Amino acid sequence: MKIAFIGLGHMGGPMAANLLKAGHAVTAFDLVPAALEAAKAAEGAEVVITMLPAAQHVKTVYLDDDGVLAGVAKGVPLVDSSTIDPATAKLVAAAAAKQGNPFADAPVSSGGGGAQAGTLTFMVGAGEALFETLRPVLSGMGKNMVRCGETGTGQIAKTCNNLLLGISMIGVAEAMKLGETLGIDPAKLASIVNTSTGRCWSSDTCNPYPGIIETAPASRGYSGGFGADLMLKDLGLAVDAARGAKQPVFMGALAQQLYQSMSQQGLGGIDFSGIIKLYGKN
Ligand code: NAD
């Protein structure tokens, strides 16, 4: 299949490479000059996939005069895998529908490692027919594909997952730091938590205390992994969506402020598990 892939960053680069490996013909484009390239990339494509930083980039790439919608043929499915707000996903979907292009929001989980290995989880907001059309394409980049509901629901799932993840990491950091201060061996504490009711991904796979999990960013100076500024962006999406719906998110709002403080201290580029640094020196 002829696929146009737009946005070749940490995630998009390896995702596009995996589509090539899966036998698709991939035309890949990144920034400069952005919108013009997007229109060109979309010409002749049978599917267009975008993997961009945030909502404003998604709007530009699809909706600008020289954007994807200006170049793509009628009927070609459009897939946005960026993490953005559900409202923007719906806005782009509506514009695409006007000219006869089905649109799916399909954000991903599993980060850079999952993108490299082709084991991403796709949370897809799309009608059933579109979901089935996209399944063989997405399976070139991921292992799990979940249809969450109609357009926008993929972004809702992603927002809620990352809200929980951002909060759980802070909880683990706080508990590990308190344990250390009160005098228990952190490795012993982690092994107890990980076989007890406090266990979660943030404790047993990405523990923020250095040296506990060999493969965790904390054990290599918090490099790689999922940047704190990306987590801050995702918590912003959750808090904004919650405000729009008048749904309280007490912990999410606090978590947003803590990652903001991390960012202000110049730590926005390190893995989000580096939030443990707010609790004192490691
Ligand atoms: P990134 O910044 O590494 O890559 C984004 C790419 O988009 C960049 O190469 C940039 O040049 C390009 N771009 C920006 N505007 C463009 C335009 N107008 N036209 C063409 N290209 C343009 O970001 P990333 O880490 O690959 O993340 C992409 C999305 O995936 C984000 O929404 C992020 O929240 C989400 N995500 C990231 C991870 C992760 O671990 N990095 C995990 C899950 C989801």
Side-chain angles (χ1 to χ4, degrees):
M1 194 171 256
K2 286 187 199 161
I3 299 173
F5 201 109
I6 301 166
L8 303 167
H10 290 102
M11 299 294 289
M15 288 166 76
N18 281 334
L19 285 173
L20 268 176
K21 266 192 232 155
H24 298 287
V26 181
T27 315
F29 282 90
D30 202 89
L31 207 54
V32 196
L36 181 65
E37 300 281 29
K40 268 198 217 142
E43 276 170 23
E46 292 167 311
V47 175
V48 176
I49 303 173
T50 46
M51 190 52 164
L52 299 160
Q56 73 265 29
H57 308 95
V58 173
K59 275 194 220 162
T60 302
V61 163
Y62 281 98
L63 305 181
D64 270 15
D65 288 348
D66 291 319
V68 167
L69 292 187
V72 76
K74 192 174 171 181
V76 167
L78 313 173
V79 184
D80 179 43
S81 284
S82 326
T83 302
I84 62 168
D85 58 299
T88 298
K90 284 186 187 167
L91 182 119
V92 176
K98 258 195 202 156
Q99 63 169 59
N101 292 100
F103 175 94
D105 49 308
V108 300
S109 178
S110 296
Q116 299 271 359
T119 54
L120 293 169
T121 292
F122 283 90
M123 305 164 218
V124 187
E128 270 174 36
L130 177 58
F131 180 68
E132 289 311 322
T133 304
L134 294 176
R135 191 194 283 278
V137 176
L138 300 184
S139 65
M141 302 176 283
K143 214 168 55 177
N144 304 306
M145 276 128 268
V146 183
R147 181 177 170 259
C148 305
E150 295 301 323
T151 315
T153 53
Q155 296 296 355
I156 294 173
K158 174 73 183 172
T159 296
C160 294
N161 179 73
N162 280 22
L163 170 73
L164 177 54
L165 176 62
I167 293 168
S168 77
M169 184 56 80
I170 294 166
V172 174
E174 191 162 302
M176 291 301 302
K177 212 57 199 167
L178 177 64
E180 179 205 44
T181 303
L182 297 181
I184 188 173
D185 171 21
K188 179 75 71 185
L189 174 59
S191 75
I192 291 164
V193 167
N194 288 335
T195 49
S196 303
T197 45
R199 185 182 63 81
C200 59
W201 184 89
S202 299
S203 70
D204 74 2
T205 306
C206 193
N207 197 296
Y209 199 94
I212 302 288
I213 309 284
E214 208 184 310
T215 51
S219 299
R220 48 170 197 269
Y222 302 94
S223 64
F226 185 58
D229 275 344
L230 280 179
M231 176 53 84
L232 178 58
K233 178 196 81 158
D234 291 355
L235 286 167
L237 294 176
V239 169
D240 288 351
R243 184 170 50 222
K246 296 200 171 20
Q247 169 64 44
V249 281
F250 306 113
M251 302 300 292
L254 179 54
Q256 183 190 26
Q257 292 304 308
L258 291 169
Y259 289 104
Q260 193 149 296
S261 173
M262 192 177 162
S263 189
Q264 187 199 34
Q265 290 177 33
L267 301 173
I270 68 172
D271 184 71
F272 77 114
S273 63
I275 194 79
I276 198 168
K277 290 176 185 282
L278 296 191
Y279 287 93
K281 226 173 148 35
N282 258 122

